[in-house]
Amino acid sequence: MLTLVLLVPLLLLSNALAQVDTISEIQKTISVLVQRMNTAESSLKESQENLVKALQRVAVTESKLQQAETKLVQANVKRVQLESELKAGLNDMKNVGTKNSASITGLTQNLSSLQGKQTRHIAFSVGRSTSLTGNSDNTVITYDKIWLNDGNGFNKFNSYFVAPLSGVYMFTYNNLYHSNKNSFVLFMMNGKHVQSSQGYDANGGWGMSGNEIQLRLQKGDSVWLELYKNHYIYSNVYLYSSFTGQLIYQN
């Protein structure tokens, strides 16, 4: 009986001691878990801070990208504007060049025309020192005295005048007649009879016959004088027979 009484407290004490050991281990385990949780919380907080910083950097990068995109768009707009202005400038330069070229061409032509008109003086004056008697055909009146031949239009070999320029010309011609002899002179142009002069004195006297004409000639047209067949003009060293012409104005 006494033994039982002693064993009960011992059993209770043993159980109590066992429970104490278990609680201690539990406390240690809890302490370890708490430390781990604290460590995890610290790591989590650090991770959160790093994430916030990363998000901030991302936001800054996105802002810079947006600014760069805006600048790129603005640059493209300016590029398009510059290209448009450059094209317009090139077109203007082409138009100005074309106008200048046309103006220069016109000025050159006008200058050439003015120079031609200012520098080309055309006139001739010739005389004949011998008498001439016609035959059965009309005879070209030739002239052996040349007083003037500006522009070289008068041909001294055949006594034709060939117009060096197109324009209006004036011609005069005079001849001496006498002794009941007809003096009928024809003014010819390009092979056609244009005008005449005639002198005759039934009393055997002397006289001058002649005429004057203004004609529009084209460059290369020819004029000359012919004595009608079997007619007569008188001349000697005093040069009574003459033929003159001059350009009044160009076309």
Side-chain angles (χ1 to χ4, degrees):
M1 189 67 179
L2 179 60
T3 302
L4 289 173
V5 171
L6 291 173
L7 285 173
V8 170
L10 289 173
L11 290 171
L12 294 171
L13 180 61
S14 176
N15 289 334
L17 290 172
Q19 291 177 355
V20 169
D21 291 336
T22 300
I23 292 170
S24 177
E25 291 177 359
I26 291 171
Q27 289 177 343
K28 289 179 180 180
T29 300
I30 290 172
S31 177
V32 171
L33 291 174
V34 169
Q35 290 177 356
R36 290 179 179 177
M37 288 178 64
N38 289 335
T39 301
E41 287 179 355
S42 178
S43 298
L44 179 59
K45 184 177 181 181
E46 184 178 357
S47 297
Q48 288 177 342
E49 291 175 353
N50 291 333
L51 179 59
V52 170
K53 291 179 181 179
L55 291 173
Q56 291 175 346
R57 288 196 293 270
V58 168
V60 171
T61 302
E62 289 179 348
S63 176
K64 290 181 178 179
L65 285 174
Q66 290 178 351
Q67 293 176 357
E69 288 178 354
T70 301
K71 291 181 179 179
L72 181 60
V73 171
Q74 293 174 348
N76 285 331
V77 171
K78 289 183 179 179
R79 179 182 60 80
V80 171
Q81 291 176 346
L82 289 174
E83 288 179 351
S84 177
E85 292 175 358
L86 180 60
K87 289 180 180 178
L90 290 173
N91 289 332
D92 290 341
M93 290 177 65
K94 288 180 180 179
N95 293 333
V96 171
T98 301
K99 291 180 180 178
N100 288 339
S101 178
S103 298
I104 291 172
T105 301
L107 289 173
T108 302
Q109 292 175 347
N110 291 336
L111 180 60
S112 299
S113 177
L114 288 173
Q115 287 176 340
K117 291 180 180 180
Q118 290 175 353
T119 59
R120 297 301 302 274
H121 300 288
I122 300 171
F124 75 94
S125 181
V126 296
R128 181 180 175 88
S129 62
T130 60
S131 299
L132 178 64
T133 300
N135 51 37
S136 59
D137 292 322
N138 294 349
T139 303
V140 176
I141 302 175
T142 57
Y143 298 88
D144 55 353
K145 176 65 176 178
I146 298 177
W147 292 295
L148 179 68
N149 192 17
D150 289 349
N152 295 317
F154 183 81
N155 187 326
K156 65 181 180 179
F157 298 104
N158 60 14
S159 293
Y160 281 34
F161 173 78
V162 180
L165 295 173
S166 298
V168 174
Y169 291 78
M170 181 176 69
F171 302 95
T172 60
Y173 49 101
N174 292 285
N175 295 286
L176 182 65
Y177 63 90
H178 81 106
S179 301
N180 297 321
K181 293 182 179 180
N182 261 318
S183 176
F184 187 58
V185 174
L186 295 81
F187 184 96
M188 307 294 292
M189 174 180 169
N190 296 332
K192 294 181 179 181
H193 173 218
V194 177
Q195 190 190 52
S196 303
S197 70
Q198 185 174 15
Y200 176 74
D201 189 340
N203 298 320
W206 299 78
M208 294 292 295
S209 66
N211 216 332
E212 178 180 293
I213 189 171
Q214 295 182 6
L215 294 173
R216 185 181 304 277
L217 302 183
Q218 299 301 316
K219 181 178 179 181
D221 285 346
S222 299
V223 299
W224 66 92
L225 296 175
E226 292 184 1
L227 179 64
Y228 191 69
K229 55 188 177 181
N230 299 319
H231 281 226
Y232 175 82
I233 57 174
Y234 178 82
S235 192
N236 56 26
V237 293
Y238 294 104
L239 302 165
Y240 299 110
S241 178
S242 64
F243 182 26
T244 66
Q246 68 181 49
L247 173 66
I248 301 175
Y249 59 86
Q250 283 183 246
N251 286 344

